Amino acid sequence: MKSNKTVGIAFALVFASFVLSTISSLVSLHVVMRDNVRTMNKVIAMRIYDNISYELSEPISVAKTMSCDIGLKEMLQNESEETTEMMTEYLHGLQEGLGYEMVFAISDASKTYYMGDGILKTLDYEHDEYDQWYPTFVQKNTWHDLDVDIDETGLEAWTVFVNARVQGYDDRLLGVCGVGILMTGLQKMFRGYEWDYGVKVRLVDTSGLVQVDSDEINIERTKLEDLNLSKDAKGDFVYQDAGDGSFVVTKYVENLKWFLVVQSNGVAESR
């Protein structure tokens, strides 16, 4: 009788040990799987980040290079009746040679908006809301910046404008130059990532307002909530787990001054 009791206790201890070991293994497996999913999601975000950075680095470099061009500075500094023809030829050559939809230069003195096919307009930001971007950019006192707006050249399409500040030798503002990239190319690229990786890809500003999205209705209208967009996190890929299997990975893109957001479904947004 005593022997049976001893055997029963031993069996119970072995069974309990087996159960605890199994639970521990399952917990460990869950942690490993969760960490692997996190790692995989970060790898996807890193790949998308590298491709977007590469795609937009060239137009940013072009705009910056234009802003340092001595010929452009001289044309803006010495505007005359001949400037329109010279500026048009200069901008048209860049547009055709580099394949951009738009290359432009704006004189701060006359507020003339030069393009590759002539003068588009004279800025009047006191009465035309489309021109508000100019004083906004100038007041930032930054070398370059990106702005999303509707193209006014007749295409009436969402465009990413890369603006660069042009200054004289005495650091006096001469104007702004840059290039315009139609949103359709970026949207096609984003749709490819979303199809390949089963995620949603966006670029948002520091407030969470969507700047680039494969769904046009979200551009400059949708604001993503509860994202980690703090300045302290700008150097890292920040992973946020919503607890229901959904996730968000964010990364600050230095050249764009925007955040890349790669997310699964179920993340809150507001319009």
Side-chain angles (χ1 to χ4, degrees):
M1 187 74 176
K2 185 176 180 181
S3 175
N4 290 339
K5 186 176 181 180
T6 302
V7 170
I9 293 172
F11 177 79
L13 289 173
V14 170
F15 180 75
S17 176
F18 172 76
V19 170
L20 289 173
S21 176
T22 301
I23 293 173
S24 176
S25 297
L26 289 174
V27 170
S28 298
L29 180 61
H30 175 74
V31 170
V32 170
M33 290 178 64
R34 183 193 64 192
D35 289 345
N36 284 342
V37 169
R38 284 192 174 191
T39 300
M40 180 58 66
N41 291 334
K42 281 190 175 183
V43 168
I44 291 172
M46 289 172 65
R47 184 171 298 175
I48 295 172
Y49 169 84
D50 288 341
N51 290 339
I52 291 174
S53 296
Y54 175 78
E55 188 74 18
L56 291 174
S57 62
E58 182 184 284
I60 292 173
S61 295
V62 169
K64 285 183 172 180
T65 302
M66 285 177 62
S67 72
C68 298
D69 190 319
I70 295 175
L72 177 60
K73 290 185 178 185
E74 289 180 349
M75 282 188 283
L76 291 174
Q77 198 160 13
N78 304 298
E79 278 187 284
S80 65
E81 293 181 357
E82 290 77 31
T83 300
T84 300
E85 183 178 350
M86 291 188 297
M87 187 72 78
T88 299
E89 183 178 351
Y90 169 79
L91 297 174
H92 181 75
L94 289 175
Q95 186 170 334
E96 290 295 309
L98 299 176
Y100 288 109
E101 289 83 8
M102 183 189 303
V103 181
F104 62 90
I106 298 167
S107 165
D108 189 66
S110 67
K111 302 299 185 291
T112 304
Y113 196 130
Y114 298 100
M115 294 186 58
D117 55 359
I119 294 175
L120 174 64
K121 62 190 295 188
T122 300
L123 295 186
D124 183 12
Y125 39 80
E126 292 185 0
H127 301 97
D128 189 345
E129 64 177 353
Y130 278 105
D131 296 340
Q132 284 295 322
W133 69 269
Y134 184 84
T136 299
F137 171 69
V138 169
Q139 289 165 15
K140 287 181 180 179
N141 200 28
T142 185
W143 186 8
H144 87 278
D145 198 8
L146 272 68
D147 183 45
V148 172
D149 209 339
I150 297 292
D151 169 51
E152 289 187 89
T153 62
L155 297 174
E156 297 296 323
W158 281 108
T159 305
V160 178
F161 293 92
V162 184
N163 305 313
R165 189 182 186 93
V166 184
Q167 295 187 166
Y169 301 110
D170 56 356
D171 292 333
R172 179 173 60 89
L173 178 66
L174 298 178
V176 174
C177 67
V179 300
I181 310 162
L182 289 181
M183 189 76 74
T184 50
L186 295 173
Q187 288 175 314
K188 182 179 179 180
M189 181 171 64
F190 278 28
R191 289 190 192 101
Y193 298 144
E194 291 166 357
W195 177 263
D196 291 341
Y197 302 122
V199 295
K200 182 64 179 175
V201 182
R202 292 183 173 105
L203 286 170
V204 305
D205 65 14
T206 53
S207 72
L209 184 65
V210 173
Q211 301 298 305
V212 182
D213 193 304
S214 59
D215 188 351
E216 194 166 290
I217 196 173
N218 292 323
I219 299 171
E220 290 274 302
R221 293 175 183 167
T222 296
K223 191 171 184 179
L224 302 187
E225 304 289 353
D226 302 322
L227 295 180
N228 188 345
L229 302 179
S230 68
K231 294 181 179 180
D232 296 337
K234 284 183 177 179
D236 303 315
F237 286 88
V238 179
Y239 189 96
Q240 295 174 253
D241 193 338
D244 58 356
S246 62
F247 69 91
V248 181
V249 181
T250 58
K251 175 71 170 73
Y252 185 68
V253 188
E254 188 72 38
N255 268 354
L256 310 185
K257 300 183 176 72
W258 289 339
F259 283 87
L260 169 67
V261 179
V262 179
Q263 64 187 73
S264 59
N265 295 324
V267 180
E269 59 184 51
S270 64
R271 289 197 176 104

